[in-house]
């Protein structure tokens, strides 16, 4: 089982990034997918989630209107489009797969700074 995140990096405030999480080793379409983040000294928090069919999404209040979660079941990949980034969005971003069991990716660093 693997969840491999990519797309992180350094971006200026107001900029955009798109994170990807490629899944393998399990039946992707059975799993709800979500993105979490953890900033230094803080607890890991839910950023966005999407149901297995993609029909239902949920967002943290802090990212509503700026971030969009999407999934491509044919590619076993979940995405997080992040727009209007702020310094407080700086964190390691993790993807998570949830069904009967749950899996975590290794994380990708997002740094928002001028």
């Amino acid at each position: 089982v693997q969840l491999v995140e990519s797309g992180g990096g350094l971006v200026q405030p107001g900029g955009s990034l798109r994170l990807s999480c490629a899944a393998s080793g399990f039946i992707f379409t059975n799993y709800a997918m979500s993105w979490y983040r953890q900033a230094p000294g803080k607890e890991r928090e839910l950023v966005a989630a999407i149901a297995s069919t993609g029909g239902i999404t949920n967002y943290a209040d802090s990212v509503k209107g700026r971030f969009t979660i999407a999934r491509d079941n044919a590619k076993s990949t979940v995405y997080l489009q992040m727009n209007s980034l702020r310094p407080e969005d700086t964190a390691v971003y993790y993807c998570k797969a949830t069904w009967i069991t749950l899996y975590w990716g290794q994380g990708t660093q997002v740094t928002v700074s001028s």
Side-chain angles (χ1 to χ4, degrees):
V1 172
Q2 277 195 312
L3 291 173
V4 180
E5 298 101 332
S6 61
L10 173 64
V11 63
Q12 292 186 342
S16 298
L17 283 175
R18 188 176 83 151
L19 305 183
S20 300
C21 173
S24 61
F26 62 96
I27 302 173
F28 184 74
T29 52
N30 284 347
Y31 285 73
M33 298 298 297
S34 50
W35 287 95
Y36 283 72
R37 67 186 181 188
Q38 188 166 20
K42 295 188 176 181
E43 293 188 354
R44 193 171 295 189
E45 63 174 357
L46 175 67
V47 175
I50 187 166
S52 58
T53 59
I56 298 173
T57 57
N58 184 41
Y59 296 91
D61 287 343
S62 58
V63 307
K64 280 181 183 176
R66 300 188 297 124
F67 291 11
T68 302
I69 188 170
R71 65 190 293 159
D72 185 338
N73 284 345
K75 295 182 178 180
S76 297
T77 301
V78 62
Y79 305 96
L80 185 67
Q81 178 66 45
M82 306 186 295
N83 299 327
S84 301
L85 283 161
R86 304 168 180 168
E88 54 264 39
D89 295 318
T90 295
V92 178
Y93 284 71
Y94 300 88
C95 75
K96 176 185 169 185
T98 305
W99 187 42
I100 296 173
T101 54
L102 63 89
Y103 306 113
W104 287 94
Q106 83 289 349
T108 185
Q109 176 70 46
V110 171
T111 302
V112 184
S113 175
S114 55

